[in-house]
Amino acid sequence: MTNPILSDWTTPFEIAPFTAISDGDFAPALDEAMAAHNAQIDAIADNPDVPSFANTIEALEAAGEQLDRVLSVFFTVAGADSNPKREELQREFSPKLSAHFSGISSNKDLFRRVADLWHRRDDLDLSDEQARVLMLTHRGFVRAGAALEGEADARMQEVKSRLASLGTSFTQNLLADERDWFMELAEEDLDGLPDFVIAAARAAGEEKGANGPVVTLSRSLIVPFLQFSSRRDLREKAYRAWAARGANGNETDNREIAAEILTLREERAKLLGYDSFAEFKLETEMARSPDRVRDLLMQVWEPAKARADADADILTAMMQEDGVNGPLEAWDWRYYAEKRRKAEHDLDEAALKPYLQLDRMIEASFACANRLFGLEFASLDAPLYHPDCRAWEVTRNGKHVAVFIGDYFARGSKRSGAWCSAMRAQAKFPEEQTPVVINVCNFAKGDPALLSYDDARTLFHEFGHALHQMLSNVTYESISGTSVARDFVELPSQLYEHWLEVPEVLAEYATHAETGEPMPQAMLEKVLKAANFDQGFQTVEYVASALVDLAFHEGSAPADPMSKQAEVLAEIGMPNAIGMRHATPHFAHVFAGDGYSAGYYSYMWSEVMDADAFAAFEEAGGAFDPERAKALEENILSTGGSREAEDLYLAFRGRLPGVEALLKGRGLIAA
């Protein structure tokens, strides 16, 4: 019987036929696809002809199509709709895939062909894009250890395999902690909670099979609970559970895993001749060095901490007025900050939230893309992996551009956070292919689903990543879409957040869930005025996490990461009432894989650019200035990794920005 993953996909736009695929199909499909990929690699490596760009680099670009298909389907469902079988398969696949790709990167005959082309690059008459792909391919082989010999080569393969397994274990432990914990709420425990939080808690209780409302460790539920619950004892219980993810001293504890990961990363870097993993990792990023990263973070830390300290004094006084003595704690901050926001800005999230309907915010994100780039979105009936998912065909001037899939609601089978991925990336070689892009979020389900302002910003953020994929216009898949420097990849996503705050966008799409009336002008003005409210808190919790990540990787690996974390926080004077946005045992960005390791600073590096990039629109004809939109697409959104990130930004803006734009944008210094 033909495996549906490997058969021809006759679905609309060749979307994966999810409804025809069973968990039993994945392992045989992976084995067959890896075997086919190995045969292709051997044919390239053993080719007796003189190496050419076509018979080596383009051949590598074309190889592995079956494997890409298998992995795109599997990792989509493993991340967004996991189950025990899929978790078992992840544990099984991690070392197999590590060995497979390590085998390719350590293939000496293949590397000799790539190296030969690299040395003859000036005589090959390559286009700019081809020269870029050759450079990236050669660099990728070298950084993967292709030039290593003997014991060093063998040890590198062992290190990478072990890291892959540890990353999977870290992810699954975190998912288990987030899935298994919940706190049941009696009717008297609902005091202070607005209707939208109670509705979300009841929906979560139904999913957990409880007899009533519950609080889970989903950010979209626990944060509003911490904002509104008048029960300080319950806030403390919920916060402690949230902060303890991955650190409960049981079989899902991630602390020893984190320590081993850091040790192995250091060894990996030193095998390649680097002093530290941070030096290795940052070499290919815009930042280039740990010193430049630390300089940026500390420029932001000082004003952010000053603002947070001043805010803490105000919140402590409010708490004492309530008769609560003692210091302000982490489970108090959001509660009193929400009270303060209501008092100072006359802005009540319970009153605001009915105007932020999920469906209307999706419409808003589409409408902005239409005005900026001419994209149109039409609902698409296609087989998807979960009933919560929905799909749209994306066109421009009647021509198909992409398929966009949205998976917006939190559930126990989905890992936390929000992300964008491409099940198929844009490319023109070996044949034309359009992207299939997914946004995955964790919003609380409701009827209708209502978002917080932070949720709405997340929706726009992830859609900015999707636009980077959808508008890509390059030849080779390896440099398509978001295949850019890690500290550049967040620029399109963070830039797109700014369109949520354009007054005319909110005026049109922020409509009341019951009455359909637009957000009153007075409330709209309050929302925009309060956009930077509590930025001291938000900036401190983020920068603290980024500084800990950097400290983990810029020197010798700490034997005890938790002690190192405490040491870093003490050195920078971390306020007692603010926790890291991601503490070590649940820092999936850093420990679930190498993506953001020594790179969590990337959001802030990109924010320096996004504040400056949106200012370019404001300085021109406004948020929808057509010339600026065209320049953004031509120089950033369509170009993928075809040029150095710094060159792409210079082509768009004409100069590189300083940190002042970020500090002004966050309201940490005067505009």
Side-chain angles (χ1 to χ4, degrees):
M1 186 174 179
T2 305
N3 191 310
I5 306 176
L6 300 178
S7 63
D8 291 336
W9 292 353
T10 58
T11 49
F13 305 106
E14 297 182 333
I15 299 172
F18 288 105
T19 53
I21 296 170
S22 70
D23 288 346
D25 294 322
F26 287 118
L30 181 70
D31 289 342
E32 188 173 334
M34 285 198 303
H37 194 205
N38 280 330
Q40 292 170 323
I41 295 299
D42 289 343
I44 299 168
D46 299 338
N47 189 336
D49 296 337
V50 173
S52 68
F53 188 83
N55 70 21
T56 303
I57 304 302
E58 287 190 332
L60 282 169
E61 288 282 328
E65 181 189 2
Q66 269 194 340
L67 184 56
D68 289 344
R69 176 184 286 202
V70 175
L71 297 182
S72 72
V73 177
F74 177 71
F75 284 113
T76 293
V77 297
D81 192 27
S82 193
N83 60 35
K85 178 60 178 176
R86 291 169 188 173
E87 291 178 12
E88 177 189 332
L89 288 171
Q90 272 189 288
R91 293 190 292 272
E92 177 188 325
F93 289 177
S94 288
K96 289 174 72 170
L97 287 168
S98 175
H100 175 77
F101 290 111
S102 290
I104 295 171
S105 63
S106 62
N107 185 314
K108 302 306 180 187
D109 291 333
L110 181 60
F111 178 57
R112 273 191 287 271
R113 295 182 69 84
V114 173
D116 176 74
L117 289 170
W118 176 245
H119 293 310
R120 293 190 290 116
R121 60 191 180 277
D122 293 338
D123 302 322
L124 298 177
D125 193 27
L126 302 178
S127 69
D128 289 344
E129 191 174 331
Q130 288 173 329
R132 176 74 173 168
V133 171
L134 172 58
M135 185 279 289
L136 292 172
T137 303
H138 179 261
R139 188 175 75 182
F141 270 91
V142 172
R143 287 171 62 81
L148 297 178
E149 300 285 350
E151 290 183 10
D153 185 18
R155 180 56 185 160
M156 177 63 83
Q157 312 318 315
E158 293 172 0
V159 167
K160 289 195 288 188
S161 177
R162 180 61 178 160
L163 281 169
S165 295
L166 290 169
T168 297
S169 297
F170 189 98
T171 302
Q172 293 188 352
N173 287 346
L174 182 55
L175 177 62
D177 279 4
E178 291 174 342
R179 180 181 56 219
D180 294 346
W181 187 93
F182 60 91
M183 179 173 69
E184 295 191 51
L185 300 174
E187 291 302 312
E188 61 269 22
D189 298 334
L190 304 178
D191 187 53
L193 300 181
D195 290 344
F196 76 86
V197 180
I198 295 173
R202 292 194 192 283
E206 288 179 17
E207 191 206 357
K208 296 296 184 186
N211 293 323
V214 304
V215 175
T216 69
L217 297 182
S218 167
R219 181 175 285 270
S220 62
L221 181 50
I222 196 167
V223 167
F225 180 80
L226 293 170
Q227 279 179 286
F228 293 104
S229 175
S230 61
R231 290 284 303 275
R232 191 176 191 236
D233 58 331
L234 297 182
R235 295 201 312 267
E236 178 179 358
K237 182 179 179 182
Y239 181 86
R240 287 190 182 279
W242 197 31
R245 290 169 294 158
N248 286 300
N250 55 10
E251 67 277 4
T252 60
D253 198 297
N254 275 332
R255 287 172 288 191
E256 289 187 6
I257 292 175
E260 187 177 354
I261 286 173
L262 294 173
T263 299
L264 290 172
R265 283 179 181 161
E266 181 189 6
E267 182 179 1
R268 178 183 172 190
K270 289 187 172 177
L271 282 169
L272 294 170
Y274 296 87
D275 289 336
S276 70
F277 184 81
E279 286 193 8
F280 162 72
K281 187 70 183 293
L282 295 171
E283 180 185 52
T284 60
E285 308 298 338
M286 287 187 75
R288 301 296 182 203
S289 73
D291 287 344
R292 290 186 70 191
V293 172
R294 182 174 297 283
D295 181 57
L296 168 68
L297 293 174
M298 292 310 297
Q299 284 187 68
V300 178
W301 174 259
E302 296 300 338
K305 182 179 182 297
R307 174 66 56 82
D309 286 342
D311 290 343
D313 290 341
I314 295 170
L315 300 184
T316 300
M318 293 172 65
M319 186 177 76
Q320 290 172 348
E321 286 174 11
D322 279 353
V324 180
N325 296 316
L328 184 74
E329 300 287 358
W331 47 88
D332 297 317
W333 190 294
R334 289 175 174 86
Y335 178 71
Y336 285 100
E338 181 61 29
K339 280 189 163 190
R340 182 186 175 195
R341 181 169 74 154
K342 189 173 181 180
E344 292 185 2
H345 295 279
D346 193 22
L347 187 62
D348 181 355
E349 181 152 327
L352 170 64
K353 201 156 186 175
Y355 290 98
L356 299 176
Q357 300 174 70
L358 171 62
D359 286 349
R360 294 293 279 152
M361 291 298 101
I362 293 171
E363 287 181 50
S365 67
F366 289 174
C368 292
N370 176 260
R371 289 186 63 181
L372 290 164
F373 311 114
L375 299 179
E376 297 183 333
F377 300 80
S379 292
L380 184 61
D381 185 14
L384 302 173
Y385 60 86
H386 193 279
D388 285 346
C389 297
R390 47 184 125 166
W392 294 266
E393 181 190 5
V394 187
T395 59
R396 179 155 60 180
N397 299 324
K399 181 182 178 182
H400 177 77
V401 172
V403 170
F404 175 65
I405 298 170
D407 178 5
Y408 296 107
F409 296 124
R411 52 181 174 267
S413 61
K414 183 189 288 186
R415 64 179 170 89
S416 62
W419 64 93
C420 174
S421 59
M423 290 198 65
R424 183 176 66 228
Q426 177 273 331
K428 300 174 185 175
F429 178 88
E431 58 187 23
E432 191 95 19
Q433 65 182 37
T434 54
V436 176
V437 187
I438 302 180
N439 275 178
V440 183
C441 300
N442 270 283
F443 303 141
K445 190 176 279 192
D447 186 22
L450 305 178
L451 305 182
S452 67
Y453 198 70
D454 190 50
D455 287 339
R457 215 173 359 231
T458 295
L459 186 146
F460 268 70
H461 178 102
E462 297 306 332
F463 194 70
H465 282 309
L467 288 172
H468 202 178
Q469 296 280 13
M470 291 189 280
L471 292 172
S472 179
N473 185 25
V474 297
T475 302
Y476 301 103
E477 186 173 338
S478 63
I479 55 169
S480 175
T482 56
S483 298
V484 298
R486 180 65 63 178
D487 50 12
F488 190 71
V489 76
E490 298 298 338
L491 170 60
S493 55
Q494 293 179 182
L495 175 58
Y496 204 66
E497 292 178 33
H498 289 273
W499 274 272
L500 173 63
E501 297 180 352
V502 174
E504 62 190 277
V505 174
L506 284 173
E508 182 172 358
Y509 293 97
T511 57
H512 198 279
E514 295 178 6
T515 67
E517 292 295 314
M519 184 183 291
Q521 182 64 28
M523 180 180 284
L524 175 59
E525 291 172 1
K526 291 172 187 173
V527 167
L528 296 175
K529 191 177 290 186
N532 284 322
F533 179 74
D534 214 22
Q535 273 296 335
F537 171 88
Q538 293 179 39
T539 307
V540 160
E541 65 167 2
Y542 165 79
V543 175
S545 296
L547 285 167
V548 168
D549 167 42
L550 183 65
F552 279 162
H553 295 99
E554 67 176 336
S556 298
D560 182 353
M562 299 305 293
S563 293
K564 183 65 174 180
Q565 173 183 295
E567 176 188 318
V568 172
L569 297 182
E571 285 176 358
I572 61 176
M574 182 72 170
N576 176 66
I578 303 179
M580 294 168 63
R581 186 169 179 86
H582 303 289
T584 299
H586 51 261
F587 208 161
H589 280 79
V590 169
F591 293 107
D594 270 358
Y596 284 90
S597 55
Y600 191 61
Y601 76 92
S602 299
Y603 292 93
M604 189 142 281
W605 190 275
S606 294
E607 190 177 340
V608 171
M609 290 181 285
D610 84 62
D612 180 65
F614 192 70
F617 280 86
E618 295 177 316
E619 292 163 9
F624 294 99
D625 180 75
E627 291 303 313
R628 287 289 82 201
K630 182 181 179 183
L632 179 63
E633 179 177 353
E634 289 181 349
N635 295 299
I636 293 176
L637 296 178
S638 69
T639 51
S642 60
R643 294 161 61 195
E644 288 291 334
E646 188 169 298
D647 294 339
L648 295 177
Y649 192 82
L650 284 169
F652 166 71
R653 189 64 162 120
R655 58 172 172 76
L656 292 174
V659 73
E660 292 79 13
L662 178 149
L663 295 173
K664 290 174 183 176
R666 287 190 171 228
L668 297 175
I669 61 173

